[in-house]
């Protein structure tokens, strides 16, 4: 029997997660039965679902009946999701689902989320970085460390999921002496008017990487994180200085194998040519690297890539699948 889940927070992450799950319902070992948002009414969420230009639900017929969102599939399948518009203290379904998906961005500490784990609910999984959660689990890196005693879990972040599994593989394979990450990050469309210039910001990856990876520290790792007035797919470029010498040809061969058959299968992808970011909207990969742009200069490997940071729900979904399978 599939486990039940509820989403708290129907922002960009919650919207992407709903669509990602709906498209994979047949293979998913959990169902989304509840959504709560403390700001958006059911009608406002319905309007977002049917009108969003990036997350397209046109495969489904969507209705509101009472306090439920109804999703009808072409083959006659039906999904009924109870919707509420309450503060977190007054969520009517607290303790009912097996899993609590904290996707509001407002509850990122363990104390914020402890109250979500009650009744039937075995754990709360935060769709953001949490510095004091029971554990941070990054799919493709340490997701197998999950134990039933972990009640409040962080999935990391979009940049953590993009960097950590790859960095761990490269260190195991070649040895990483130092590295840096350059992120050109989008902004939500509704915020474009208030942000019309470049903004350099702190990225949680700066601290998370050293917390998760023993070979990363403040002396050998830098993140340059820039938010730009643009709402499409983001760019993320990696540089690694490796201990063992490697050629572009052999590196691409190793990455090709690892991405198609190894531990990083379905997490990353190599594309042959650079045709811009737009084609990677809602990509299922944490990062898509461009073969023709990979370079090695003075012992440093440069890996330019694209990532749909909003759709890092792909790794959140994989993590939940693993947790439920145990």
């Amino acid at each position: 029997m599939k486990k039940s889940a509820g989403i708290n927070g129907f922002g960009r992450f919650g919207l992407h997660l709903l669509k990602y799950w709906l498209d994979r319902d047949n293979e998913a070992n959990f169902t989304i039965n509840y959504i709560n948002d403390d700001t958006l009414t059911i009608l406002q969420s319905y309007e977002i679902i049917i009108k969003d230009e990036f997350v397209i639900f046109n495969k489904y017929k969507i209705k509101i009946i009472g306090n439920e969102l109804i999703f009808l599939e072409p083959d006659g399948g039906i999904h009924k999701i109870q919707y509420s518009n309450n503060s977190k203290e007054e969520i009517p379904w607290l303790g009912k689902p097996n899993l609590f998906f904290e996707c509001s961005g407002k509850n990122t500490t363990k104390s914020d989320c402890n109250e979500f784990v009650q009744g039937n609910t075995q754990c709360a999984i935060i769709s953001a970085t949490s510095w004091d959660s029971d554990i941070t689990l990054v799919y493709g890196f340490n997701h197998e460390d999950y134990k039933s005693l972990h009640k409040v879990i962080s999935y990391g972040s979009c940049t953590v999921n993009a960097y950590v599994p790859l960095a761990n593989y490269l260190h195991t394979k070649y040895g990483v002496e130092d590295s840096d990450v350059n992120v050109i990050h989008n902004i939500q469309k509704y915020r474009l008017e208030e942000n019309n210039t470049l903004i350099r910001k702190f990225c949680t990856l700066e601290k998370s990487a050293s917390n998760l990876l023993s070979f990363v520290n403040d002396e050998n790792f830098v993140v340059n994180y820039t938010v730009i007035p643009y709402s499409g797919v983001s760019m993320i470029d990696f540089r690694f200085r490796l201990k063992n010498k490697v050629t572009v040809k052999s590196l691409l061969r190793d990455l090709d194998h690892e991405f198609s058959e190894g531990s990083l299968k379905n997490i990353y992808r190599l594309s042959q040519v650079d045709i811009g970011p737009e084609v990677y909207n809602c990509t299922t990969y944490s990062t898509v690297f461009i073969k023709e742009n990979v370079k090695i200069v003075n012992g440093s490997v440069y890996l330019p890539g694209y990532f749909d940071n909003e759709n890092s729900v792909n790794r959140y979904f994989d993590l939940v699948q693993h947790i439920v399978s145990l």
Side-chain angles (χ1 to χ4, degrees), residues 9-168:
F10 200 62
R12 301 304 301 169
F13 195 97
L15 179 69
H16 275 269
L17 179 57
L18 175 63
K19 174 63 161 49
Y20 200 88
W21 168 75
L22 281 170
D23 289 350
R24 292 158 183 81
D25 174 57
N26 289 336
E27 67 190 69
N29 51 22
F30 66 94
T31 61
I32 294 176
N33 303 95
Y34 309 95
I35 295 174
N36 180 76
D37 191 276
D38 63 2
T39 301
L40 298 171
T41 66
I42 189 171
L43 182 57
Q44 289 171 322
S45 289
Y46 169 81
E47 290 291 321
I48 290 170
I49 290 168
I50 64 172
K51 292 182 179 179
D52 195 86
E53 62 182 284
F54 296 115
V55 189
I56 309 300
F57 286 80
N58 57 6
K59 172 183 173 181
Y60 308 95
K61 291 183 178 179
I62 307 166
K63 299 179 180 180
I64 297 175
I65 300 179
N67 68 339
E68 290 185 327
L69 287 168
I70 311 296
F71 295 84
L72 301 172
E73 298 196 34
D75 63 0
I78 183 170
H79 304 280
K80 297 180 180 181
I81 301 175
Q82 180 182 318
Y83 190 94
S84 52
N85 176 212
N86 295 78
S87 66
K88 71 171 191 173
E89 296 82 8
E90 298 178 345
I91 296 174
W93 44 267
L94 274 180
K96 293 182 180 180
N98 303 114
L99 303 161
F100 190 102
F101 298 161
E102 171 43 46
C103 302
S104 72
K106 300 174 182 178
N107 304 298
T108 58
T109 67
K110 184 175 179 179
S111 61
D112 287 336
C113 296
N114 279 333
E115 66 191 271
F116 301 148
V117 185
Q118 59 176 278
N120 295 325
T121 305
Q122 69 185 66
C123 64
I125 307 171
I126 306 171
S127 68
T129 301
S130 172
W131 303 121
D132 68 346
S133 61
D134 292 331
I135 193 169
T136 295
L137 294 174
V138 179
Y139 189 83
F141 169 64
N142 69 340
H143 63 278
E144 293 184 351
D145 292 344
Y146 169 74
K147 301 288 189 299
S148 60
L149 57 85
H150 298 135
K151 301 302 182 184
V152 177
I153 299 164
S154 168
Y155 101 120
S157 70
C158 57
T159 52
V160 168
N161 279 273
Y163 173 81
V164 168
L166 177 68
N168 183 62

Side-chain angles (χ1 to χ4, degrees), residues 233-266:
V233 174
S234 299
M235 299 173 64
I236 188 164
D237 298 342
F238 301 94
R239 182 197 63 82
F240 295 95
R241 188 153 59 94
L242 304 177
K243 295 178 182 178
N244 301 328
K245 289 186 178 180
V246 64
T247 64
V248 170
K249 183 177 180 180
S250 62
L251 174 67
L252 290 176
R253 182 187 64 236
D254 291 343
L255 291 178
D256 244 335
H257 177 269
E258 192 65 19
F259 295 173
S260 59
E261 301 178 38
S263 62
L264 301 181
K265 182 179 179 180
N266 298 326

